Amino acid sequence: MNKQDSIISKRQKLHAVRVLRDRIFVVGFGLAVIIGILGLAALLFDVLVDGLPFMNINFLTSYASRKAEHSGILAPLAGTIWIVGMTALFTIPIGVGTAIYLEEFASKNRINRLIELNIANLAGVPSVIYGLLGLALFVQFLFNGSRNVTAGALTMTLLILPIVVIASQEAIKAVPSSYRHAAYAMGANRWQVVKAIVLPQAIPGMMSGIILALSRAIGESAPILIISSLVWVTFIPTSPDSKFTVLPLQIFTWISQPQHSFRGIAAAAIIVLLIVLLSMNGIAIWIRSKYQSRPDQ
Amino acid sequence: MIKNEFKKFSKPAIVFTSLLIVGIIAACGGSGSGAESSEILIDGSSTVFPISQAVAEEFRVNRPEVQIPVGISGTGGGFKRFVEGEIDIADASRPIKESESEQAAANGIEYTEFVIAYDGLSVVINKANDFAACLTTAELKMIWERGSTVDNWNEVRSGFPDKPLRLYGPDTDSGTFDYFTAEINEEEDASRADYTASSDDNVLVQGVSGDQGAMGYFGFAYYTENSEMINVVAVDDGDGCVTPSVSTINDGSYSPLSREMFIYVNNASLARTEVRNFVEFYMNNAAELAEEVGYVGLSDADYQSQLEGLN
């Protein structure tokens, strides 16, 4: 009896230890989440308190000024939209195309593995290096010294291409090969399989990667400082050859001004940047759900 | 079903590809058209930027058809573009270097230099520091020179309290750093490296205002905007203690830390009416506008004599 009792109590103790360990980890993970969210909340709160008083229609429709209260973000907002739009235009076909080639068409030989390794490494190169590359390659070589939106967008394309390729590759890898085999069994060729089976399945995952990458492009100021360098612009880019500035550059300039009032409009510009980012994420979620909820899957 | 999928994907693919092609064609077609004549392109020092922005903004009130984009590539970056003939006006927080002017000559670029304002580099300390109201240039040099190990105020001058001394200053890319090291340490770019460096002067203001033993230096505007948070140090260069102010910077008595701000104008651009009008407008309004953005203007006579040189 006694022996049995001690075994039971030993088991109970072990059980209690396991439960305790479980709780500790749950609390620990919860804390990790809370720290992240609190940081974000504090940041948002700070930006909203500083920036909201300056948010009005004039702020969105006027150009920058030496007087904070007359300043607006029309030029950098338009520049950011141009840059992101054109970057998406360049990045999506090239990035998705690269991923499809590497995953579906390329044989797994040494050269292709080397290419993949290089792409992964490129994702870690500091953005300012891409700025210098863009200055030499696009501004000086391709556009003959013209520091235009296209040069900016192409530079951003180089910057985010590795992220898009890697994310797209992962999305393609996640498509079960049994789907491909079924399509092959029905007589489809490789391109038909990619088009009809792999891509529709992979698009939600690709979209997440593309949007994350474009969000990075929106927030970059270092390469654009090198490509454009302009921080006072009183026109909207009207063609791919226009000069331009972008929101992060304008925010950077305002924050480094000595006058305190500029910090308020910098915060207001950050709010606008966040809204642009959130609406882009919204579009991504919409596209993802559109593809995921199709009845025939 | 498979046919259906074909349609769904190929549409966006076609749209993307065609837009891409259109974009590239438009970009290439556009780049050949050259610069518009009613554009005055300014680039260079981010320190001079607020003055050029203010002048350009006022100029455009009456001449809105002239576009005057202003960039902040830095003084060196601006000169690099200027000597290639890429820009009309270079903002500079130091005079053009010999190597840069040789480059300009090699490219057939002639230019005119204008002094547009002064900045008084201000040495600042924490609000609670009441003993270091005035320091000599020799003491500043002892603190900041290369290899200096001074880390307590009592090493600076006997009689100063036993308080740790912590330093804040601009990073080595800054023109302020170049000027301060040249004037105080008597060798450009020679400075001790164990100080808190930032390219954002507002970060330095925060650092000095939150650290009782702190000392830092940056442009005059950052002191005047934050004078309730930090104390400024008067500098003694042998002729007594001089506090930086609009009048001591303007009359040159705040020495050696008053520096000149320049614009360099390409002579070929100056031949264009709108550039000439802009430069005249610049010199006629720089005093008022420079002070509005935190710098110190020259005397009227100094502006006018520079303009006379134009004719």
Side-chain angles (χ1 to χ4, degrees):
Chain A
M1 276 307 262
N2 254 351
K3 207 179 175 187
Q4 225 170 12
D5 271 354
S6 79
I7 288 173
I8 288 173
S9 78
K10 210 174 179 182
R11 276 190 185 163
Q12 277 172 338
K13 258 187 211 158
L14 274 175
H15 179 69
V17 168
R18 278 201 298 267
V19 168
L20 185 69
R21 199 180 285 163
D22 180 62
R23 294 239 167 96
I24 289 173
F25 273 99
V26 168
V27 170
F29 293 142
L31 271 178
V33 172
I34 289 170
I35 288 171
I37 289 179
L38 274 185
L40 187 65
L43 197 73
L44 279 178
F45 179 76
D46 192 45
V47 164
L48 287 175
V49 166
D50 287 350
L52 277 182
F54 292 90
M55 282 293 266
N56 54 46
I57 196 72
N58 276 340
F59 183 66
L60 296 176
T61 55
S62 34
Y63 296 111
S65 160
R66 71 179 183 284
K67 294 185 178 116
E69 62 275 18
H70 295 151
S71 267
I73 51 163
L74 185 55
L77 180 60
T80 289
I81 292 169
W82 266 90
I83 286 288
V84 170
M86 290 184 77
T87 305
L89 218 64
F90 297 136
T91 309
I92 294 171
I94 301 174
V96 173
T98 308
I100 292 173
Y101 173 77
L102 287 175
E103 284 305 313
E104 298 289 329
F105 292 94
S107 51
K108 296 281 166 205
N109 59 25
R110 204 173 272 181
I111 295 173
N112 285 318
R113 242 175 292 157
L114 194 70
I115 292 177
E116 286 188 40
L117 185 71
N118 272 310
I119 290 172
N121 279 332
L122 281 177
V125 173
S127 58
V128 72
I129 306 289
Y130 285 101
L132 293 168
L133 177 66
L135 183 65
L137 192 62
F138 302 127
V139 171
Q140 257 130 34
F141 182 70
L142 194 59
F143 296 118
N144 201 14
S146 167
R147 297 169 176 245
N148 56 30
V149 219
T150 314
L154 286 169
T155 306
M156 285 303 182
T157 302
L158 289 186
L159 174 70
I160 66 169
L161 208 48
I163 312 174
V164 173
V165 171
I166 292 168
S168 303
Q169 275 183 291
E170 293 304 321
I172 291 170
K173 274 183 199 155
V175 179
S177 24
S178 55
Y179 286 29
R180 295 186 183 87
H181 297 155
Y184 285 133
M186 291 171 75
N189 64 25
R190 275 210 291 197
W191 173 230
Q192 285 172 321
V193 171
V194 167
K195 221 169 171 185
I197 308 295
V198 177
L199 275 180
Q201 289 280 328
I203 277 179
M206 288 180 174
M207 283 309 295
S208 307
I210 290 166
I211 292 294
L212 274 178
L214 286 176
S215 307
R216 182 171 173 205
I218 281 192
E220 279 292 345
S221 57
I224 298 293
L225 180 61
I226 292 175
I227 298 292
S228 159
S229 92
L230 297 179
V231 288
W232 193 62
V233 174
T234 48
F235 51 84
I236 290 174
T238 49
S239 80
D241 190 38
S242 288
K243 296 189 176 67
F244 70 105
T245 186
V246 292
L247 279 170
L249 210 49
Q250 187 74 70
I251 293 167
F252 163 76
T253 314
W254 279 340
I255 285 180
S256 54
Q257 293 304 308
Q259 293 82 4
H260 293 286
S261 49
F262 278 103
R263 253 153 274 175
I265 57 169
I270 290 171
I271 296 174
V272 175
L273 194 63
L274 283 174
I275 292 172
V276 174
L277 267 174
L278 286 178
S279 31
M280 277 180 55
N281 278 308
I283 294 170
I285 292 167
W286 175 73
I287 293 176
R288 209 180 313 171
S289 63
K290 198 179 147 223
Y291 274 90
Q292 271 172 344
S293 63
R294 285 178 325 166
D296 55 352
Q297 299 239 325
Chain B
M1 196 177 83
I2 285 187
K3 211 174 175 190
N4 196 19
E5 302 277 14
F6 258 98
K7 273 186 185 161
K8 269 193 175 158
F9 187 74
S10 51
K11 250 189 222 165
I14 289 168
V15 171
F16 272 134
T17 318
S18 48
L19 280 177
L20 179 73
I21 293 164
V22 169
I24 289 173
I25 291 171
C28 295
S31 63
S33 63
E36 298 131 28
S37 58
S38 62
E39 185 183 76
I40 304 172
L41 197 47
I42 307 179
D43 199 356
S45 166
S46 58
T47 314
V48 183
F49 163 75
I51 310 175
S52 283
Q53 181 197 20
V55 175
E57 190 180 358
E58 282 307 305
F59 183 74
R60 289 192 74 248
V61 170
N62 292 322
R63 300 285 302 276
E65 79 282 5
V66 184
Q67 291 292 353
I68 313 173
V70 186
I72 49 164
S73 290
T75 300
F79 275 135
K80 212 175 258 175
R81 298 185 67 188
F82 184 74
V83 301
E84 297 287 339
E86 267 187 57
I87 54 175
D88 301 302
I89 297 175
D91 285 341
S93 61
R94 57 158 172 83
I96 193 165
K97 285 180 182 164
E98 211 168 296
S99 57
E100 290 160 341
S101 88
E102 278 164 11
Q103 192 72 45
N107 292 330
I109 306 276
E110 289 176 14
Y111 56 82
T112 311
E113 175 193 278
F114 296 90
V115 179
I116 50 153
Y118 298 120
D119 186 16
L121 298 196
S122 304
V123 179
V124 294
I125 49 177
N126 189 272
K127 207 73 192 164
N129 183 332
D130 51 6
F131 47 87
C134 177
L135 293 170
T136 65
T137 46
E139 285 164 341
L140 286 174
K141 182 182 178 189
M142 185 177 76
I143 295 170
W144 285 98
E145 72 188 338
R146 179 179 280 162
S148 161
T149 54
V150 176
D151 61 359
N152 194 304
W153 281 99
N154 64 15
E155 294 171 52
V156 177
R157 189 187 297 172
S158 60
F160 277 1
D162 172 18
K163 225 174 198 177
L165 168 65
R166 278 179 292 267
L167 298 171
Y168 297 79
D171 64 21
T172 53
D173 289 334
S174 152
T176 311
F177 172 84
D178 292 344
Y179 192 81
F180 187 89
T181 49
E183 292 300 321
I184 296 296
N185 301 343
E186 290 163 352
E187 186 189 342
E188 189 168 308
D189 295 347
S191 166
R192 68 191 290 176
D194 56 339
Y195 66 93
T196 308
S198 172
S199 57
D200 182 351
D201 292 334
N202 286 316
V203 172
L204 302 178
V205 171
Q206 292 299 327
V208 174
S209 69
D211 181 347
Q212 293 218 342
M215 169 193 268
Y217 66 91
F218 38 68
F220 183 58
Y222 290 88
Y223 161 65
T224 50
E225 285 295 323
N226 299 289
S227 54
E228 76 288 350
M229 290 165 70
I230 44 180
N231 281 345
V232 74
V233 175
V235 176
D236 180 357
D237 190 30
D239 300 318
C241 297
V242 183
T243 310
S245 71
V246 171
S247 61
T248 58
I249 295 169
N250 179 282
D251 67 18
S253 58
Y254 182 65
S255 167
L257 289 177
S258 285
R259 61 168 170 168
E260 294 170 314
M261 307 283 193
F262 307 87
I263 56 169
Y264 286 78
V265 187
N266 187 323
N267 283 356
S269 307
L270 208 48
R272 281 158 46 199
T273 328
E274 70 271 17
V275 178
R276 195 185 175 90
N277 290 345
F278 177 71
V279 171
E280 283 165 2
F281 187 86
Y282 208 128
M283 300 311 278
N284 287 328
N285 295 276
E288 187 192 331
L289 291 170
E291 271 164 45
E292 203 184 309
V293 293
Y295 296 95
V296 178
L298 281 58
S299 69
D300 280 346
D302 285 341
Y303 286 117
Q304 291 316 316
S305 66
Q306 294 190 74
L307 269 182
E308 274 159 27
L310 263 185
N311 300 315

